[in-house]
RNA sequence: GGCCGGAUGCCCGAGUGGACUAAGGGAGCGGAUUGCAAAUCCGCGAUUCGUGGGUUCGAAUCCCACUCCGGCCUCCA
């Protein structure tokens, strides 16, 4: 069965064929070289779970293509030039978000909560939120961030580029567009993209220039300087802007679509396999990216455009005014392991609207625990035999897949091939893992083989073998203390005291299990109550 | 106003014409085990798929109408 994804560009479920296929024509994904670009975070605030749903969708896509044997190169930008805040965006009027972030930082400094040394410096403010983002993304297991971490400093900019480091490329692309007749310098000195010069403008979003000019929104600004109301700016000269750079059109700042076109093409080449983002990116951002890139190169910019649906919280649209949004560090603070958040956010198929609740985190914790316990027991069973045989990694044994295991992998693949139907894929995993986990003992070949298969699917899921968030050292010390007290209480048959101690341990985020060889504890994946 | 999704058990969520006597996860209930604990194990749970029509030998799955929910058209993933 072919791998098919929903392509926003064609409004259709299309078979995914890599632009640079592998050597085997019957299975071109194996050994293929896939280039994907994902619209990343803006870094003038903490990313919230809605943002991360989109990044995690791209991550699951990345990991699944790798699961199929592809070599995936994913680039994700971190937007460190501000975007305008009010609705005059096509012209670049309005307050810059980074500027607002700078002001917020100044307020924090006054109130004694200094996050950066110099809150007047937008680069420091952006730098702070970049680090915060990387930290959150790392704990959630975003492969692109792990690759970024592993790379040396010079290569990092090619994995998670920042617009402020690529301004000359933006200028070069704008010059190219002017030369090609797709952009013009208007009477107000601003460089605009001429949407009427690009016949396909509107194809991605299903908009037409006609509708855009007469839409009930009516927000497409009428401005005399522009040739068409939908024309959007590429460069705006502005001596007073918080971040500005010299350019042929005067000192100023770039438009907010040009960064993705320039960086994606500069790093990955002029034609990409896949471009991802949230559904709100479809128009105008991605529409404008296509116009810019294809206007300059005449080549298709991206073969597949994939977009994730928005996240709702407790049945309502997430919005700052309602205050119903979560950021990762707050949830972690409440006692949820980041892997639980990861699972909850990926367990609903990316193209379905998803409702996030704290209850969903608890369900995720329970689901993960089953798989993690199984993995632990399988690992133990394998390690015991390998050690006894003096065969450190068990290399002498070639695991053969058990029939049920092959079925699981086949069903997992079939579901994921169907536009990343992760619910179906998870059902396959649990149908196999559930009965297996109920077995008291494993034979060595069985455990070894099962472990390998679990590792394979977890290459996509990323929640089974990744380490949990470590508990602070002082918590661990306290836990050990309470564990000893509890053991003593149980020996004395003072079960009331033992249960009270268990309660205290639970509050510390620890789960206690009594085994024949004594009590053991492990960090809880989620707090007791939502 | 235009465009686009969705409605499946207590909750989340697969399933797109016959193997659906509706996957999987969570919560619940009954039992086993245990310390009257935690964990674990066994068992139970939608005759029904928003409502009403229609097509068909056969529909959760196709068509029509209606109701409700959500999204986009403007920043936001």
């Amino acid at each position: 069965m072919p791998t098919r994804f929903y392509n926003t560009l064609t409004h259709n479920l299309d078979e995914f064929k890599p632009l640079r296929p592998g050597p085997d024509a019957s299975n071109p994904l194996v050994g293929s070289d896939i280039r994907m670009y994902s619209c990343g975070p803006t870094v003038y605030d903490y990313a919230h779970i809605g943002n991360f749903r989109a990044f995690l969708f791209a991550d699951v896509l990345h990991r699944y293509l790798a699961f199929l044997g592809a070599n995936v190169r994913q680039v994700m930008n971190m937007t460190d030039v501000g975007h305008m805040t009010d609705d005059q965006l096509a012209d670049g009027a309005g307050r810059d978000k980074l500027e607002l972030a700078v002001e917020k930082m100044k307020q924090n400094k006054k109130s004694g909560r200094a996050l950066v040394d110099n809150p007047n410096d937008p680069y420091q403010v952006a730098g702070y939120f970049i680090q915060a983002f990387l930290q959150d993304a790392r704990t959630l297991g975003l492969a692109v961030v792990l690759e970024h971490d592993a790379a040396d400093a010079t290569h990092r900019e090619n994995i998670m580029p920042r617009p402020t480091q690529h301004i000359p490329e933006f200028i070069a692309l704008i010059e190219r567009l002017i030369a090609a007749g797709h952009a013009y310098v208007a009477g107000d000195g601003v460089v605009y993209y001429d949407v009427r010069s690009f016949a396909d403008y509107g194809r991605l979003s299903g908009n037409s220039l006609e509708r855009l000019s007469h839409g009930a929104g009516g927000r497409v600004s009428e401005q005399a300087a522009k040739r068409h109301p939908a024309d959007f700016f590429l460069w705006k000269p502005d001596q007073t802007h918080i971040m500005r750079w010299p350019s042929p059109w005067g000192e100023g700042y770039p438009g907010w679509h040009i960064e993705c076109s320039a960086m994606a093409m500069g790093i990955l080449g002029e034609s990409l396999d896949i471009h991802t983002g949230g559904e709100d990116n479809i128009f105008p951002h991605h529409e404008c990216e296509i116009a810019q890139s294809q206007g300059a190169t005449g080549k298709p910019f991206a073969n597949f455009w994939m977009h994730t649906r928005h996240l709702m919280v407790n049945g309502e649209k997430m919005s700052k005014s309602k205050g119903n949004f979560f950021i990762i560090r707050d949830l972690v603070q409440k006692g949820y392991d980041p892997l639980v958040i990861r699972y909850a956010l990926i367990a609903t198929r990316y193209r379905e609207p998803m409702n996030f609740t704290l209850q969903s985190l608890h369900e995720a914790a329970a689901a993960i625990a089953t798989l993690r316990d199984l993995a632990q027991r399988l690992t133990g069973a394998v390690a015991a035999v390998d050690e006894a045989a003096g065969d450190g990694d068990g290399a002498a044994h070639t695991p053969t897949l058990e029939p049920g295991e092959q079925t699981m992998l086949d069903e997992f693949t079939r579901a994921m091939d169907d536009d990343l139907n992760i619910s179906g894929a998870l059902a396959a995993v649990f149908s196999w893992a559930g009965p297996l986990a109920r077995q008291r003992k494993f034979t060595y070949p069985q455990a070894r083989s099962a472990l390998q298969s679990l590792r394979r699917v977890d290459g996509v899921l990323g929640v089974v073998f990744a380490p949990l968030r470590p508990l602070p050292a002082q918590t661990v010390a306290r836990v050990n203390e309470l564990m000893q007290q509890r053991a003593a209480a149980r020996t004395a048959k003072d079960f009331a005291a033992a249960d009270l101690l268990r309660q205290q341990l639970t509050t510390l985020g620890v789960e206690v299990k009594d085994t024949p060889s004594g009590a053991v504890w492990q960090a809880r994946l989620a707090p007791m109550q939502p």
Side-chain angles (χ1 to χ4, degrees):
Chain A
M1 187 177 156
T3 301
R4 299 192 304 170
F5 299 136
Y6 185 85
N7 190 350
T8 310
L9 192 61
T10 59
H11 305 274
N12 197 41
L13 214 52
D14 292 341
E15 179 174 353
F16 179 71
K17 293 180 182 151
L19 293 171
R20 301 157 195 84
D24 178 3
S26 69
N27 197 349
L29 274 167
V30 176
S32 62
D33 167 21
I34 290 176
R35 316 238 170 136
M36 60 183 281
Y37 184 91
S38 304
C39 280
T42 46
V43 289
Y44 35 71
D45 206 346
Y46 298 106
H48 53 64
I49 53 170
N51 302 126
F52 274 110
R53 182 189 193 198
F55 307 146
L56 283 166
F57 143 66
D59 185 59
V60 168
L61 175 62
H62 174 157
R63 286 161 172 261
Y64 182 61
L65 291 168
F67 171 94
L68 293 175
N71 300 308
V72 183
R73 235 184 116 189
Q74 184 189 2
V75 171
M76 186 163 84
N77 62 308
M78 295 187 284
T79 297
D80 61 353
V81 299
H83 287 337
M84 306 309 110
T85 54
D86 70 21
D87 47 319
Q88 300 292 333
L89 277 136
D91 304 320
R95 294 292 302 279
D96 186 285
K97 285 190 175 171
L98 205 41
E99 196 177 331
L100 291 178
V102 162
E103 267 183 26
K104 242 165 92 179
M105 284 279 193
K106 281 199 237 172
Q107 293 300 323
N108 280 339
K109 182 128 194 173
K110 273 182 204 158
S111 61
R113 253 184 78 226
L115 297 172
V116 298
D117 297 335
N118 178 9
N120 282 312
D121 178 356
Y123 288 88
Q124 277 196 27
V125 173
Y128 170 81
F129 286 114
I130 283 173
Q131 290 311 317
F133 171 75
L134 290 174
Q135 189 191 333
D136 290 348
R138 225 170 258 141
T139 64
L140 290 173
L142 289 191
V144 69
V145 174
L146 303 179
E147 286 166 11
H148 163 273
D149 288 353
D152 59 55
T154 49
H155 285 101
R156 287 184 172 179
E157 197 55 39
N158 282 334
I159 297 174
M160 303 195 67
R162 295 158 296 170
T164 52
Q165 309 302 306
H166 297 264
I167 301 293
E169 293 154 63
F170 301 177
I171 291 172
L173 182 58
I174 295 168
E175 286 181 318
R176 210 169 151 188
L177 286 168
I178 293 174
H182 286 298
Y184 59 94
V185 182
D188 54 5
V190 177
V191 185
Y192 289 104
Y193 192 96
D194 181 358
V195 291
R196 281 178 306 184
S197 73
F198 187 72
D200 267 352
Y201 191 81
R203 182 179 162 206
L204 182 74
S205 57
N207 280 320
S208 66
L209 287 180
E210 179 72 6
R211 279 223 297 274
L212 282 172
S213 355
H214 303 291
R219 299 299 190 80
V220 181
S221 66
E222 297 283 351
Q223 204 189 52
K226 294 198 292 184
R227 293 179 187 169
H228 187 278
D231 287 355
F232 55 94
F233 87 100
L234 300 171
W235 189 271
K236 183 164 188 170
D238 183 347
Q239 300 286 336
T240 63
H241 197 257
I242 187 165
M243 285 174 139
R244 51 189 190 277
W245 296 266
S247 86
W249 315 283
E251 197 168 282
Y253 59 93
W256 57 287
H257 306 300
I258 200 76
E259 64 174 82
C260 290
S261 285
M263 296 194 298
M265 294 200 296
I267 296 168
L268 292 174
E270 294 183 342
S271 289
L272 316 172
D273 286 285
I274 306 174
H275 194 125
T276 72
E279 61 177 328
D280 55 291
N281 283 152
I282 296 170
F283 189 87
H285 187 51
H286 287 165
E287 195 74 77
C288 294
E289 278 187 49
I290 291 173
Q292 291 166 349
S293 299
Q294 301 191 3
T297 68
K299 298 176 193 163
F301 179 38
N303 235 9
F304 273 75
W305 288 85
M306 296 174 70
H307 298 94
T308 187
R309 295 297 303 263
H310 276 170
L311 183 71
M312 295 197 296
V313 170
N314 295 321
E316 287 188 313
K317 183 183 174 172
M318 218 171 63
S319 75
K320 298 217 164 176
S321 56
K322 282 184 186 144
N324 63 344
F325 65 98
F326 293 100
I327 61 176
I328 303 301
R329 48 200 61 211
D330 286 351
L331 292 171
V332 172
Q333 182 64 38
K334 286 183 189 199
Y336 296 97
D337 192 276
L339 294 180
V340 169
I341 305 170
R342 175 182 171 95
Y343 185 94
L345 289 175
I346 65 173
T348 295
R349 204 219 295 245
Y350 77 100
R351 218 151 54 76
E352 301 290 331
M354 176 186 167
N355 185 26
F356 179 91
T357 59
L358 289 182
Q359 182 59 35
S360 68
L361 288 181
H362 283 81
E363 292 174 13
I368 292 183
T370 304
L371 297 180
R372 292 187 70 96
D373 287 350
L374 174 63
Q376 215 167 49
R377 290 177 56 217
L378 291 172
T379 306
V382 169
V385 175
D386 282 349
E387 270 169 36
D391 179 13
D393 58 357
H397 304 265
T398 311
T400 45
L401 290 183
E402 311 255 328
E405 222 170 296
Q406 188 60 55
T407 305
M408 183 275 282
L409 289 171
D410 288 348
E411 284 178 1
F412 180 86
T413 307
R414 187 173 346 126
M416 292 298 279
D417 272 348
D418 176 22
D419 197 25
L420 302 179
N421 179 358
I422 195 148
S423 304
L426 287 170
V429 173
F430 281 102
S431 302
W432 164 77
L436 192 63
R438 264 168 247 131
Q439 272 184 234
R440 301 234 168 268
K441 286 198 166 139
F442 309 109
T443 65
Y444 176 77
Q446 183 190 29
R448 213 180 134 59
S449 167
L451 200 53
Q452 183 178 286
S453 296
L454 192 54
R455 280 223 165 82
R456 279 205 69 201
V457 295
D458 191 52
V460 180
L461 305 177
V463 294
V464 183
F465 293 97
L468 296 182
R469 184 176 59 113
L471 290 176
Q474 63 264 39
T475 308
V476 174
R478 178 76 181 134
V479 165
N480 286 328
E481 200 178 304
L482 293 172
M483 287 293 286
Q484 278 183 19
Q485 290 176 22
R486 182 166 175 276
R490 291 186 74 216
T491 311
K493 303 247 182 244
D494 184 356
F495 295 118
D499 291 346
L500 204 66
L501 285 160
R502 179 196 288 282
Q503 272 307 115
Q504 290 178 38
L505 285 157
T506 302
T507 312
L508 286 173
V510 164
E511 184 172 313
V512 182
K513 283 186 195 175
D514 293 316
T515 72
S517 51
V520 295
W521 65 269
Q522 57 186 24
R524 292 184 61 89
L525 290 163
M528 276 302 269
Q529 297 299 323

